[in-house]
Amino acid sequence: MRKTYQVVGIGNAIVDVISQSDDSFLKMLEIQKGIMQLVERERGEMLYEGMTNRTQAPGGSVANTLAGLGSMGLSTAFIGRVHDDVLGSFYANAMQSEGTDFVNPPVVGGELPTSRSMIFVSPDGERSMNTYLGISSELGPDDVSDGVAGNASLLFLEGYLYDKPKGKQAFERAAKLCRAGGGKAGIALSDPFCVERHRDDFRRLARELDFVIGNEHEWKALYQSDLSSALEQAAIDSGLIVCTRSGQDVMLVQGEENVVVPVREIVPVDATGAGDQFAAGFLYGVATGQSLETSGHMGCIAASEVISHYGARPEKDVKALFHEGGLLE
């Protein structure tokens, strides 16, 4: 029996391994601060061994967003790929327990282990991510079920998937199935370096998909211009664009509607997951028929909650925060 999901995501299934570190530690291990870097297996194992006071959680950008949406009570599913090892079983079980269907069983056999990201959190809240993709790099079109992607009201895609040809094919298949079934598909631009690697494809997707979410650095990288010009072109290309700006007003454009949502600036404890949970709050609004402005406010509330503690997933009842903020009756 097919199940209709309010939101389906497709992306890298990555176990986040988090520890605190200072700038001198990052420099010693030649870790670039504040960005996501892909690393090979040997370096990944070295960095893992160098971490102290490690905490472990299921992660991956779109998976974090889905976990947020699931905790808000929406029906969600995640299309990802893990190995049948300890981390893979942990990941699949954790997603299910948090309310999101992990629709692909862990892969038995194969040489690549479950993916993991070593995240070093600095005292200022910046996170430096070093990701070994492992078996996530093998996610392909065969992992995309007609009955899942084809029955999604909203499909949320992770730009990082474009780093591998098979991931790109999975991405394209999922979007085609969703839109053929009457759903809407959108993408997170992921990071400026990802945008630079896949600029032509992402510009095409901005024209073809229904919504695009990115931060100011990603939008400027996409159109190789200042932010104002980039968003002007994006508004022409895409049905709905969202631009977050690290503690400054969020900008949303849909057709002739332009919305600016103020952000209550707070000092982050850990910026990990801020963009992912903004997307969760925003997509909750879209999925439940809220206005563009209300959806933007929901995104800001969800982001504020997650940066107030360590980890990339909410600890408080974010839906209750929407009620407290007067966004839900």
Side-chain angles (χ1 to χ4, degrees):
M1 179 178 176
R2 291 190 172 191
K3 179 177 179 180
T4 298
Y5 292 100
Q6 287 167 287
V7 185
V8 170
I10 177 170
N12 289 305
I14 300 171
V15 177
D16 285 341
V17 186
I18 304 169
S19 74
Q20 299 177 46
S21 63
D22 58 24
D23 289 354
S24 62
F25 179 85
L26 299 181
K27 186 175 181 180
M28 180 179 69
L29 290 183
E30 299 181 335
I31 296 168
Q32 287 189 259
K33 184 176 178 178
I35 67 167
M36 195 286 286
Q37 283 188 298
L38 295 177
V39 298
E40 297 301 322
R41 187 171 182 170
E42 183 178 348
R43 178 162 172 79
E45 290 174 350
M46 183 273 288
L47 292 175
Y48 181 84
E49 291 301 322
M51 302 178 87
T52 57
N53 300 314
R54 295 186 295 249
T55 59
Q56 180 175 295
S61 178
V62 165
N64 289 336
T65 297
L66 288 171
L69 287 162
S71 73
M72 297 175 204
L74 296 194
S75 59
T76 57
F78 180 58
I79 300 168
R81 189 175 177 90
V82 297
H83 186 71
D84 185 26
D85 53 19
V86 173
L87 284 181
S89 297
F90 163 78
Y91 192 98
N93 292 333
M95 290 294 289
Q96 290 287 159
S97 68
E98 292 179 357
T100 293
D101 285 353
F102 191 77
V103 295
N104 297 329
V107 177
V108 178
E111 296 181 359
L112 296 178
T114 295
S115 311
R116 72 286 310 267
S117 181
M118 282 63 69
I119 302 174
F120 300 88
V121 182
S122 307
D124 59 4
E126 278 286 353
R127 80 275 193 218
S128 307
M129 305 171 68
N130 294 261
T131 302
Y132 167 60
L133 285 179
I135 199 169
S136 275
S137 63
E138 295 187 337
L139 181 74
D142 291 344
D143 295 306
V144 179
S145 161
D146 289 29
V148 176
N151 285 279
S153 296
L154 290 175
L155 179 73
F156 193 39
L157 307 161
E158 184 176 301
Y160 288 130
L161 282 184
Y162 261 71
D163 282 327
K164 297 290 183 179
K166 288 174 67 176
K168 179 177 178 179
Q169 293 166 18
F171 189 119
E172 301 277 359
R173 172 171 160 77
K176 184 176 180 180
L177 286 167
C178 172
R179 301 187 83 203
K184 293 184 177 181
I187 182 177
L189 293 176
S190 293
D191 76 26
F193 300 99
C194 184
V195 171
E196 288 171 3
R197 291 192 295 270
H198 308 294
R199 184 176 288 112
D200 290 343
D201 277 324
F202 284 4
R203 285 188 179 179
R204 173 179 58 82
L205 290 170
R207 294 189 295 271
E208 293 178 357
L209 299 182
D210 300 290
F211 61 92
V212 183
I213 300 175
N215 64 36
E216 59 180 319
H217 306 295
E218 292 156 3
W219 284 115
K220 288 192 287 188
L222 184 61
Y223 290 101
Q224 298 174 284
S225 66
D226 62 86
L227 184 61
S228 178
S229 299
L231 295 183
E232 184 177 341
Q233 183 59 49
I236 295 171
D237 287 350
S238 182
L240 168 59
I241 64 165
V242 180
C243 176
T244 59
R245 299 191 295 155
S246 299
Q248 299 182 58
D249 295 350
V250 174
M251 305 167 73
L252 308 96
V253 183
Q254 186 171 32
E256 297 298 315
E257 185 178 6
N258 285 264
V259 172
V260 176
V261 176
V263 172
R264 182 173 64 89
E265 190 168 355
I266 63 174
V267 178
V269 173
D270 174 13
T272 307
D276 303 338
Q277 294 311 318
F278 174 88
F282 174 74
L283 292 176
Y284 178 88
V286 174
T288 58
Q290 308 298 324
S291 69
L292 196 59
E293 182 174 6
T294 296
S295 298
H297 279 293
M298 288 176 164
C300 292
I301 287 175
S304 294
E305 190 283 332
V306 82
I307 66 173
S308 68
H309 57 77
Y310 287 103
R313 299 188 175 188
E315 293 182 351
K316 294 181 180 178
D317 183 340
V318 177
K319 194 173 177 182
L321 297 178
F322 295 163
H323 283 284
E324 291 175 16
L327 301 177
L328 294 175
E329 296 182 359

